Amino acid sequence: MQQTLLTQAGDVARTQNEQIDSFRAQLATMQQSMADTLAATTRELTHSGQTAREAQDAAFARLREAVEAGALRQAQAQTEAQQAATAQIGAGQQRLTEALSAAQAQAAEAQLGQLRQLGEQQAQRLNELRQTVEQRLAAVQAGVEQRLASLAADNEKKLEQMRATVDEKLHATLEARLGESFKQVADRLEQVHKGLGEMQGLARDVGSLNRVLSNVKTRGIFGEVQLAGLLEQVFTPEQYATHVATVPGSSERVEFALRLPGRSPAASGAEAPIWLPIDAKFPREDYERLLEAHERADAPAVEAAAKAIEARLRAEARSIRDKYVAPPHTTDFAILFVPTEGLYAEALRRPGLVEALQREFKVMLAGPTTLLAVLNSLQMGFRTLALEKRSAEVWEVLGAVKTEFGKFGAILEKTRKKIDEAGKTLDDAGVRTRAMDRRLRSVEALPEARAAELLPGLLQGGLDEADTAPEA
């Protein structure tokens, strides 16, 4: 609808511009016609003045000729009556002067009258042209004003219709948009209400988790559960054990221990395993104090909390070494597992802490990612040991296969010889058959019934062989 209204407005504007251009062209044509009329009148006046000037010059020429002729005649008669001629000449000159003056005055008056008459005629024609132009301009102006008034009225009506249509469309669109917006706001508010309910439930769960983690024993269980999950991802249940007394005769039991292949026989005669102790620790209070200090940008508090974490890890490493490491029943090192990467990163930031734990207490610090890498390395070690154990058996099987393969080669050679002999016998039989066939070509063949009577056993045996051959 808006595009249609804009198109109509453009058409009206183009129509108005075309009418204005047409009026401008008419004015230009009228101005050109007036200019042409003025130019023609000017040319007529100029031509009339030139014609009067030429007539005056001709009169002066004729008068001069007449004067010259009279002078000649007077010269001829001068010898006769010079005195009388002198008087007559004086009188003639005076009369000539008076005549010339009168002729000049008459010519000037006639020229002035013509010029005055031409001026009056030109002024009258200009007045008529001016009145005509003014009348036409007034008529054109009245027509233009009338057309402009009608166009303005039509535009006003169309604009009013457009305004009404646009208002109606805008009202309907606004109501639809407002309805959709209110609906979306209601849906969003419902989603926010649901989200607030979920957040309240999450806050309750976080509070429960906080209460759970505030207990030291529960924090230990949290680390044990995470460690158990990592071990289950890499090893089978036969490759590790839980709550193992790694030191013989000790009541201390480590949470998890990997079962490594042993090399010293046990008291029962079986091969005793070598245990790799893995213990999980989670100094939560010290780590939370460190995080709070980082949030406050309190450098002294950060340093104090980091030192507390370092002291706690050193104490735990010393406890693991004293309780669970006892070569040759165990490996000469143990693994201290921290269940969060953030705590492991803070331990790595302490200069020389990890090296000191390995050097002084034979304890390797590991986070979740690092422990997975270590466990994968141990898994590859287990596979290498299994391959070493089975390598002797593989070589024995290969030796037996080699012996049997030699016997199989001899049997295969004998079989080849037998096949060659049978082929040679078949070739000889084929030669004899072709020789017999050449000899029998001249003999006429008997019907099958007569041949069956003469050779009953041979033909019956041949038929039996032919019947049993496809079944074989």
Side-chain angles (χ1 to χ4, degrees):
M1 185 62 186
Q2 293 179 357
Q3 185 67 28
T4 305
L5 294 176
L6 292 175
T7 304
Q8 293 178 356
D11 294 337
V12 171
R14 273 196 304 275
T15 304
Q16 293 178 355
N17 292 329
E18 291 175 357
Q19 292 177 353
I20 292 172
D21 293 337
S22 176
F23 179 66
R24 186 183 295 110
Q26 292 177 359
L27 288 178
T29 304
M30 189 177 296
Q31 290 178 357
Q32 183 66 32
S33 63
M34 291 177 66
D36 295 339
T37 303
L38 290 174
T41 304
T42 304
R43 283 195 299 271
E44 290 178 358
L45 292 174
T46 304
H47 181 67
S48 299
Q50 186 175 3
T51 304
R53 191 179 296 108
E54 289 177 355
Q56 186 178 3
D57 292 338
F60 281 131
R62 287 193 300 270
L63 180 63
R64 187 181 300 110
E65 289 177 357
V67 171
E68 289 178 355
L72 288 175
R73 286 192 300 269
Q74 290 175 4
Q76 290 177 0
Q78 186 176 7
T79 55
E80 296 177 357
Q82 185 174 4
Q83 294 179 353
T86 302
Q88 291 178 357
I89 288 170
Q93 287 179 353
Q94 185 175 0
R95 289 192 301 270
L96 179 61
T97 302
E98 292 176 355
L100 287 175
S101 298
Q104 289 178 354
Q106 290 177 359
E109 288 178 357
Q111 188 175 4
L112 287 175
Q114 291 177 357
L115 289 176
R116 190 178 298 109
Q117 185 178 2
L118 289 174
E120 291 176 354
Q121 292 177 357
Q122 187 67 29
Q124 185 178 0
R125 292 182 66 182
L126 288 176
N127 290 328
E128 292 176 354
L129 287 173
R130 187 180 298 107
Q131 291 176 359
T132 304
V133 170
E134 288 178 355
Q135 291 175 358
R136 291 182 179 180
L137 287 176
V140 170
Q141 185 175 2
V144 170
E145 290 178 354
Q146 184 178 1
R147 294 292 300 276
L148 289 176
S150 62
L151 288 175
D154 293 338
N155 290 336
E156 187 67 25
K157 291 180 181 178
K158 291 179 180 179
L159 288 176
E160 188 65 28
Q161 294 176 358
M162 291 169 59
R163 188 180 300 108
T165 305
V166 170
D167 290 340
E168 183 179 357
K169 296 290 184 180
L170 288 176
H171 184 67
T173 305
L174 183 61
E175 286 183 353
R177 294 289 179 85
L178 288 176
E180 293 177 358
S181 300
F182 283 134
K183 184 178 179 181
Q184 291 179 0
V185 169
D187 294 339
R188 296 293 177 85
L189 288 176
E190 186 177 358
Q191 293 177 2
V192 169
H193 183 68
K194 291 180 180 179
L196 288 175
E198 294 176 357
M199 290 178 64
Q200 290 175 359
L202 180 62
R204 288 193 297 270
D205 294 338
V206 171
S208 301
L209 180 62
N210 191 13
R211 288 193 299 273
V212 168
L213 294 178
S214 61
N215 190 353
V216 176
K217 184 176 180 181
T218 307
R219 292 200 303 270
I221 294 173
F222 171 71
E224 291 178 7
V225 171
Q226 190 173 3
L227 180 56
L230 293 175
L231 292 174
E232 289 176 359
Q233 293 178 12
V234 181
F235 298 106
T236 61
E238 293 79 11
Q239 292 176 333
Y240 69 94
T242 59
H243 302 289
V244 181
T246 57
V247 180
S250 175
S251 60
E252 299 292 341
R253 294 180 177 272
V254 71
E255 296 170 356
F256 295 93
L258 294 181
R259 184 181 286 109
L260 303 179
R263 304 232 179 236
S264 58
S268 60
E271 190 179 60
I274 297 176
W275 299 103
L276 172 57
I278 303 177
D279 196 9
K281 300 296 179 183
F282 186 23
R284 176 175 171 271
E285 292 84 358
D286 297 330
Y287 184 56
E288 286 183 350
R289 283 194 290 269
L290 179 63
L291 293 179
E292 292 175 358
H294 275 297
E295 291 178 357
R296 297 192 308 269
D298 190 354
V302 170
E303 184 65 23
K307 288 182 178 179
I309 292 175
E310 180 178 355
R312 178 70 179 277
L313 292 177
R314 287 178 179 274
E316 296 294 344
R318 184 182 295 105
S319 175
I320 292 172
R321 182 197 61 182
D322 297 338
K323 292 180 180 180
Y324 309 129
V325 178
H329 304 289
T330 66
T331 57
D332 59 348
F333 69 96
I335 297 177
L336 173 59
F337 173 72
V338 291
T340 62
E341 292 292 344
L343 182 58
Y344 179 68
E346 291 298 334
L348 291 179
R349 288 192 185 95
R350 300 301 299 171
L353 176 59
V354 177
E355 293 80 2
L357 295 180
Q358 293 179 355
R359 184 178 61 254
E360 298 175 5
F361 307 110
K362 304 297 182 181
V363 173
M364 183 176 68
L365 187 65
T369 305
T370 309
L371 182 63
L372 278 177
V374 174
L375 294 180
N376 287 324
S377 301
L378 293 174
Q379 179 70 10
M380 295 299 296
F382 287 166
R383 293 179 181 176
T384 303
L385 291 175
L387 290 175
E388 288 179 357
K389 287 183 178 180
R390 300 300 299 274
S391 60
E393 298 178 4
V394 172
W395 277 110
E396 290 178 359
V397 172
L398 288 176
V401 170
K402 184 177 181 181
T403 303
E404 294 295 330
F405 189 76
K407 295 178 181 180
F408 176 73
I411 294 171
L412 188 63
E413 183 66 24
K414 291 180 181 180
T415 304
R416 187 183 65 79
K417 290 180 179 179
K418 294 292 184 182
I419 292 173
D420 291 340
E421 292 176 359
K424 186 176 181 182
T425 303
L426 289 174
D427 291 338
D428 295 338
V431 173
R432 298 301 301 272
T433 300
R434 288 191 295 273
M436 293 172 64
D437 186 41
R438 286 194 299 270
R439 295 293 180 90
L440 293 174
R441 285 178 182 175
S442 60
V443 179
E444 184 179 358
L446 295 175
E448 292 184 0
R450 182 59 180 168
E453 292 177 358
L454 295 175
L455 301 172
L458 180 61
L459 291 178
Q460 186 66 31
L463 292 173
D464 293 340
E465 290 177 358
D467 292 337
T468 58
E471 295 179 357

